[in-house]
Amino acid sequence: MKLNSTVAAALLGLAPELALATPDSADRCCRALSKSTVGSQVVYPGSDAYHESVTSYWAVNVQLEPTCIVQPHSADDVSSIVQTLTAVSGANSNASSRCQFAVRSGGHMTWAGANNIEPGVTIDLSLMNSTVFEKDAGIASILPGSRWQAVYEYLEGHGVAVPGGRTGPVGVGGFLLGGGNSFHGARVGLACDNVVNYEVVLASGRIVNANAETNVDLFRALKGGSSNFGIVTKYDIKTIDNPNMWGGLVVFENSTTDQQIPALVKFIDNIENDPYASWIGLWQYNSTTEATTITTPLDYTKPEAFPAAFDDFYRIPNISDSTREATLFNLTSELQQAEGYRDVFLTSSYYNSEEILYKMIEILNSKIDEAIPLATGEDWSIMVIVQPWPKILWQKNADNGVGNVLGLDRFDENMLQVLYDYSWDSDADDALFHRLCEEAMAELDAYAKSIDMYNPYIYLNYADKTQNPLRGYGDENVEFIREVAARYDPEGVFQTQVPGGFKVSKA
Ligand SMILES: Cc1cc2nc3c(=O)[nH]c(=O)nc-3n(C[C@H](O)[C@H](O)[C@H](O)COP(=O)(O)OP(=O)(O)OC[C@H]3O[C@@H](n4cnc5c(N)ncnc54)[C@H](O)[C@@H]3O)c2cc1C
Ligand SMILES: *[C@@H]1O[C@H](CO)[C@@H](O)[C@H](O)[C@H]1NC(C)=O
Ligand SMILES: *[C@@H]1O[C@H](CO)[C@@H](O)[C@H](O)[C@H]1NC(C)=O
Ligand SMILES: *[C@@H]1O[C@H](CO)[C@@H](O)[C@H](O)[C@H]1NC(C)=O
Ligand SMILES: *[C@@H]1O[C@H](CO)[C@@H](O)[C@H](O)[C@H]1NC(C)=O
Ligand SMILES: *[C@@H]1O[C@H](CO)[C@@H](O)[C@H](O)[C@H]1NC(C)=O
Ligand SMILES: *[C@@H]1O[C@H](CO)[C@@H](O)[C@H](O)[C@H]1NC(C)=O
């Protein structure tokens, strides 16, 4: 059954002005693009380029089929695309007749519609993927469609690094707009705090720069404010001197959980004494092996073997250990997470404590037990990823002169971040895994609130569509994002015509 967009919007509880695109209006938008100066960059279903673009999203469930995809090569192309897509509505200015479009860089966000649209037009930035190192300024100019592993490989040739994704294929564009947690975070703060200039195409098609001197309000708002203001076509980011590190994956039996937890709480509180050390913990149950393993990427951002920061973890007997001296590129090439599954992520933040971690594991295990008899697919995984979120991430060396909109500066305690991450192969299990994952997060949140260990910050880059990460930035930041969005996009194009992602109009 095809619903008309106004009815569909009403069913989805959206305001009518956020109505979905109709196939008819999407066809008109694609035709207009095909006739424009970027016509040769528009691809349609059936072509190889279209197929390649659709299948290059990390999660299968976000591989929607847009009416057409446009693949710009430059900021000028993006500008002309935006001008075409905002002009097509013509005299008829009701929302469902306006072009609806999506913006994607690396395509790693895991909920359908964040970075893609169907029907509608997807602006795929993946051909804008080069990096230039400006040695004298110590700056890397990175285009949004780059993948971090390519950025690292290029910069390594110049003896430098940048704070970016810890899994090689992750995209640059979305990552830097939502914050960006890297191996270097405790040394230099979140990746977004290291961006010194953004080049942005506004809804009007105008190309502007935002930095500490020009468009300072936009500069600050882009540090966490995501897709609310325009399309970023270039990021200039401060480089770090040395790409050489020590690290790797250390894998443990599930039975070592009770040793990992106290070691982790201590590690998090010690990061301010040794900000070179980075630890991530992944407790993963895999249905094909019927076992839970604990994988811990231990990474040290200088080439020093077995640093004391991880001492408590070395005492726990491991199953395998790939630690070695290696570059950032090499380590992020190793640390990958299987693509090609249906995925859901939900995330929350808590104060650093053993109670939260024990509860996190108890909930993980109860959801595994619940899924085993109910899942119909062959290959699925239920995982919890825990990451230190020490206050040094937003204090001390993180200061960039203008701050950001994440609202972390309201807090003065070390935190930890929990990400429930479920992956499965069969769409028949969609409802099951979404329910279990949402319940897991809700149960941990409720427990944390009951012991006063809950923190309202929700990391946007891991958040699900059922969550409201912008609200977690605090009222003042939400108001600031709203004002900046209204100033740079007075017609609300990025609120109504670009429905994907976390929108301040819905926060
Ligand atoms: C396997 C995996 C590993 C990850 N590792 C890390 C990690 O180490 N650290 C970390 O902090 N996060 C990590 N993440 C989360 C990651 O930061 C987000 O998925 C992020 O969105 C990835 O950026 P992207 O370019 O792929 O985003 P996309 O999925 O392409 O886009 C995300 C959102 O940003 C918008 N957007 C994208 N580009 C632009 C642009 N140029 N201008 C305006 N809006 C834009 C999109 O419209 C969309 O709403 C990981 C995720 C996965 C799946
Ligand atoms: C909005 O425009 C579309 C396409 O032109 C049209 O079909 C629809 O009836 C209009 N809706 C309203 C509420 O005017
Ligand atoms: C940029 O993307 C193109 C097309 O996918 C690819 O061939 C090229 O290797 C990429 N460049 C870099 C630096 O990753
Ligand atoms: C993992 O260990 C926990 C105890 O921490 C146990 O309850 C659970 O059953 C184990 N899971 C598996 C799959 O062995
Ligand atoms: C893993 O175990 C091996 C064998 O006991 C040990 O030599 C190695 O140091 C351990 N690795 C880590 C990182 O603790
Ligand atoms: C990383 O380095 C190891 C040697 O330590 C090598 O075997 C491996 O191929 C390298 N990986 C990449 C992606 O370069
Ligand atoms: C489960 O493990 C198998 C074997 O290692 C692997 O191929 C598969 O990708 C894993 N499944 C998930 C959902 O991660």
Side-chain angles (χ1 to χ4, degrees):
M1 184 176 66
K2 286 267 181 209
L3 295 176
N4 96 27
S5 61
T6 312
V7 173
L11 290 175
L12 292 168
L14 301 174
E17 64 271 18
L18 290 180
L20 307 172
T22 62
D24 285 354
S25 74
D27 279 338
R28 280 192 294 120
C29 304
C30 289
R31 279 200 301 273
L33 282 175
S34 283
K35 278 189 276 179
S36 76
T37 53
V38 298
S40 64
Q41 299 163 17
V42 184
V43 299
Y44 289 89
S47 69
D48 289 347
Y50 179 96
H51 178 76
E52 207 178 292
S53 176
V54 166
T55 53
S56 67
Y57 288 80
W58 182 74
V60 167
N61 55 297
V62 311
Q63 297 180 355
L64 306 181
E65 301 201 337
T67 312
C68 64
I69 296 173
V70 56
Q71 302 182 307
H73 298 284
S74 67
D76 285 336
D77 289 348
V78 174
S79 167
S80 93
I81 291 164
V82 169
Q83 290 179 62
T84 301
L85 293 175
T86 51
V88 169
S89 54
N92 183 347
S93 66
N94 90 38
S96 63
S97 73
R98 288 185 209 142
C99 294
Q100 299 282 295
F101 58 105
V103 180
R104 68 117 357 150
S105 287
H108 270 64
M109 206 166 245
T110 51
W111 53 274
N115 45 19
N116 208 348
I117 194 164
E118 178 184 338
V121 177
T122 294
I123 303 177
D124 171 2
L125 299 169
S126 57
L127 298 183
M128 293 173 62
N129 66 346
S130 60
T131 303
V132 173
F133 177 51
E134 292 159 27
K135 191 166 190 295
D136 294 343
I139 299 292
S141 282
I142 309 177
L143 301 194
S146 310
R147 306 300 184 101
W148 286 109
Q149 61 193 5
V151 174
Y152 299 149
E153 190 174 21
Y154 164 82
L155 290 177
E156 212 162 282
H158 297 275
V160 297
V162 279
R166 294 158 300 183
T167 300
V170 174
V172 166
F175 177 100
L176 286 174
L177 290 172
N181 197 5
S182 71
F183 291 139
H184 296 87
R187 287 174 55 194
V188 302
L190 291 168
C192 68
D193 288 327
N194 292 270
V195 178
V196 296
N197 182 60
Y198 302 83
E199 179 188 77
V200 192
V201 173
L202 301 178
S204 63
R206 205 152 69 85
I207 303 173
V208 301
N209 283 290
N211 52 52
E213 277 92 45
T214 316
N215 299 317
V216 182
D217 50 357
L218 180 60
F219 182 54
R220 174 162 185 266
L222 285 166
K223 296 175 185 294
S226 196
S227 60
N228 282 289
F229 320 101
I231 302 177
V232 178
T233 48
K234 183 165 68 88
Y235 299 85
D236 294 333
I237 182 165
K238 280 188 273 187
T239 55
I240 296 168
D241 273 349
N242 191 340
N244 297 317
M245 300 178 49
W246 175 85
L249 307 180
V250 189
V251 182
F252 300 90
E253 304 262 15
N254 174 42
S255 61
T256 65
T257 297
D258 289 356
Q259 291 159 272
Q260 307 283 349
I261 287 176
L264 172 57
V265 170
K266 211 174 123 190
F267 173 82
I268 292 177
D269 284 334
N270 190 53
I271 292 177
E272 61 191 46
N273 299 318
D274 188 349
Y276 290 85
S278 162
W279 181 100
I280 307 172
L282 303 91
W283 272 253
Q284 180 170 34
Y285 174 85
N286 181 312
S287 66
T288 67
T289 59
E290 297 183 352
T292 296
T293 52
I294 307 169
T295 303
T296 61
L298 298 188
D299 290 278
Y300 203 65
T301 62
K302 63 181 167 191
E304 184 183 315
F306 289 93
F310 303 117
D311 270 351
D312 289 342
F313 299 108
Y314 307 143
R315 293 195 192 100
I316 308 173
N318 67 67
I319 310 171
S320 72
D321 171 10
S322 73
T323 55
R324 62 200 182 274
E325 280 190 18
T327 62
L328 178 59
F329 167 70
N330 189 288
L331 291 167
T332 53
S333 300
E334 177 189 36
L335 179 48
Q336 301 227 1
Q337 205 185 319
E339 60 177 19
Y341 290 95
R342 313 178 71 77
D343 297 279
V344 61
F345 281 13
L346 274 102
T347 189
S348 265
S349 309
Y350 308 102
Y351 294 108
N352 182 24
S353 65
E354 291 188 15
E355 293 94 311
I356 292 291
L357 292 167
Y358 282 113
K359 192 65 166 189
M360 169 192 90
I361 296 297
E362 182 190 317
I363 293 171
L364 175 83
N365 290 327
S366 79
K367 299 305 165 193
I368 295 166
D369 290 344
E370 209 178 324
I372 289 170
L374 296 176
T376 59
E378 293 289 313
D379 178 4
W380 52 269
S381 132
I382 285 187
M383 170 154 63
V384 68
I385 302 179
V386 56
Q387 302 184 44
W389 205 258
K391 61 186 177 186
I392 195 174
L393 262 186
W394 61 92
Q395 297 178 350
K396 217 164 166 181
N397 302 322
D399 185 25
N400 60 41
V402 300
N404 58 42
V405 292
L406 299 168
L408 287 162
D409 50 3
R410 292 173 291 163
F411 311 116
D412 190 31
E413 276 174 81
N414 291 330
M415 307 200 301
L416 52 86
Q417 177 189 66
V418 172
L419 167 61
Y420 282 114
D421 169 348
Y422 293 16
S423 306
W424 63 99
D425 57 356
S426 165
D427 60 1
D429 291 332
D430 284 358
L432 171 69
F433 286 114
H434 277 271
R435 174 175 68 81
L436 293 178
C437 196
E438 285 170 36
E439 284 174 5
M441 202 80 260
E443 285 165 25
L444 189 56
D445 282 352
Y447 172 76
K449 285 173 185 165
S450 78
I451 61 165
D452 233 6
M453 283 288 166
Y454 178 78
N455 183 282
Y457 179 72
I458 293 172
Y459 183 42
L460 182 144
N461 281 345
Y462 292 154
D464 182 48
K465 68 164 187 282
T466 58
Q467 302 188 283
N468 192 348
L470 294 178
R471 186 46 64 192
Y473 293 180
D475 294 345
E476 265 179 49
N477 287 303
V478 173
E479 198 42 49
F480 180 74
I481 292 170
R482 210 185 292 287
E483 283 167 22
V484 175
R487 204 169 300 144
Y488 289 87
D489 177 17
E491 310 284 324
V493 167
F494 285 94
Q495 303 304 315
T496 58
Q497 287 183 247
V498 188
F502 293 103
K503 295 290 140 134
V504 69
S505 50
K506 292 204 252 173

